[in-house]
Amino acid sequence: MSRIGNKPISIPKGVEVRVDGSTVAVKGPLGQLVDSCPRELEIEATESEIIVRRPSDDKKLKALHGLTASKIANMVDGVTKGYTKELEIVGVGYRAAKQGKTLVLNMGFSRPVNITPAEGVEIEVP
């Protein structure tokens, strides 16, 4: 029994989900994501939730059931919240600063490490 696969995925307001055969498209305030899912699984989208079902208890389908539900939940999170990664700097003398768009890290090397983010990536230094 897949606990992740059996759990319905809630759809927040402002997010539009379209299921066309084995293709799932999720559109929200931060963009649009499209993914193809295994044809064996049944994906049903209502106004407020998405339900993923498997037709049998085959070992392969059990694995795909939880994986597909998790991928769809991540797609919904991606178009609403986006992706964030937090870096925690622990130690004496280590520093991070932002100069323009560049992240400058002083990590004990002979010179600072400069990281220029890719287009569409935002860096915040509190």
Side-chain angles (χ1 to χ4, degrees):
M1 178 167 109
S2 173
R3 293 184 194 154
I4 295 173
N6 290 332
K7 196 165 113 175
I9 303 159
S10 63
I11 302 173
K13 292 184 179 181
V15 175
E16 181 182 321
V17 177
R18 193 176 73 247
V19 178
D20 184 30
S22 64
T23 304
V24 178
V26 182
K27 185 176 182 181
L30 296 180
Q32 181 175 353
L33 295 171
V34 179
D35 191 25
S36 62
C37 299
R39 294 186 183 274
E40 297 91 5
L41 298 177
E42 301 169 13
I43 302 167
E44 178 185 332
T46 63
E47 293 285 327
S48 61
E49 64 185 14
I50 304 167
I51 300 171
V52 180
R53 293 189 185 96
R54 66 176 185 262
S56 68
D57 285 339
D58 184 39
K59 186 174 182 178
K60 178 184 174 187
L61 290 179
K62 283 182 177 181
L64 291 174
H65 187 210
L67 173 70
T68 303
S70 179
K71 284 173 61 176
I72 294 172
N74 288 338
M75 289 169 62
V76 171
D77 282 346
V79 298
T80 55
K81 301 174 193 170
Y83 178 78
T84 60
K85 183 70 175 173
E86 293 184 18
L87 174 66
E88 183 177 343
I89 300 173
V90 179
V92 179
Y94 300 140
R95 291 187 305 265
K98 187 175 174 185
Q99 293 178 351
K101 290 186 177 183
T102 304
L103 176 65
V104 180
L105 299 173
N106 292 316
M107 298 288 141
F109 296 114
S110 61
R111 57 183 69 147
V113 177
N114 297 327
I115 299 173
T116 305
E119 187 174 327
V121 177
E122 297 178 19
I123 295 177
E124 294 179 4
V125 178

